[in-house]
Amino acid sequence: MKMSVVFISTAAAARGFSLSNPLRSLSYHCSLISQHHSVRLFYSTKDDDAKHLKSYTVLGRGVGSAVEMKTNTDHIIRTDVPIKMGGKNTAPQPVEHLLAALIGCTQATAVYVGRMMKPRLLVDKIEFHLKGCRDERGALELPIEVIPATPARLTHVSGTVTVHFKKGAVVSEAQLLVLKEQTEARCPVANMMNASGCKMDITWVDGTTD
């Protein structure tokens, strides 16, 4: 068995790794994966983790159902809800912003993933057609003092992601699958939505074959 340099992450503590007895724990974790050709466990300190921590700050002020926000990158975001929901429909709904965030995050992440693949997959443009669904009882259920039995979150996001690659690119189904899987795993918004239990039923298509 080929062994690589072994590191353990602080997250491993949640899976049985003990910082108070690292050698014993390391032996335990290695035994779990000894059937593989290599062992790649990562150890990092809190200081190491802090170096990679990316934070976002948004300041907001709401009047009625409408909110105006300013990001730490100096952009203005506005939200509102439709008139039938008590708003004035002056801006997109917050959940529409969530879907928009998923699209924007997917675009940026896919471009990065494609560029890092070997061979490279150079993305020209991506077209998105997504639909999100939720059970409104999760927000409206009464009495208001009782936590609703129905989750308020999005329960299902479906649609298509059509990727157009740079001229001359020939992309196999396997490569497109890697692009999809790695993008969904690395996109913070998609990762968070998956972790919430939202069913992500999104089909990726190679648009260069159209």
Side-chain angles (χ1 to χ4, degrees), residues 58-70:
V58 178
L59 303 177
R61 180 174 181 270
V63 177
S65 297
V67 182
E68 180 172 295
M69 293 150 278
K70 186 174 183 180

Side-chain angles (χ1 to χ4, degrees), residues 125 127 161-165 171 176 204-210:
K125 63 181 179 180
E127 296 173 315
V161 173
T162 304
V163 187
H164 299 265
F165 297 96
V171 180
L176 186 62
W204 285 52
V205 178
D206 181 359
T208 58
T209 60
D210 292 345

Side-chain angles (χ1 to χ4, degrees), residues 88-189:
K88 295 183 178 178
N89 200 34
T90 61
Q93 301 177 68
V95 174
E96 291 171 331
H97 274 282
L98 177 59
L99 287 176
L102 174 61
I103 289 174
C105 190
T106 299
Q107 171 80 29
T109 306
V111 169
Y112 169 76
V113 170
R115 195 167 60 240
M116 292 298 109
M117 289 175 64
K118 291 182 174 51
R120 285 185 169 191
L121 296 185
L122 298 180
V123 175
D124 183 26
K125 63 181 179 180
I126 305 178
E127 296 173 315
F128 299 86
H129 185 186
L130 301 185
K131 178 181 179 180
C133 297
R134 66 182 178 89
D135 188 328
E136 66 176 1
R137 289 175 296 182
L140 303 179
E141 194 171 87
L142 298 175
I144 205 68
E145 296 84 6
V146 178
I147 299 297
T150 304
R153 58 172 168 77
L154 286 181
T155 56
H156 188 202
V157 174
S158 60
T160 57
V161 173
T162 304
V163 187
H164 299 265
F165 297 96
K166 295 289 186 181
K167 186 176 181 179
V170 178
V171 180
S172 68
E173 289 185 10
Q175 288 174 307
L176 186 62
L177 180 60
V178 170
L179 180 66
K180 174 185 186 294
E181 290 180 340
Q182 290 300 324
T183 297
E184 291 177 344
R186 295 166 184 268
C187 166
V189 178

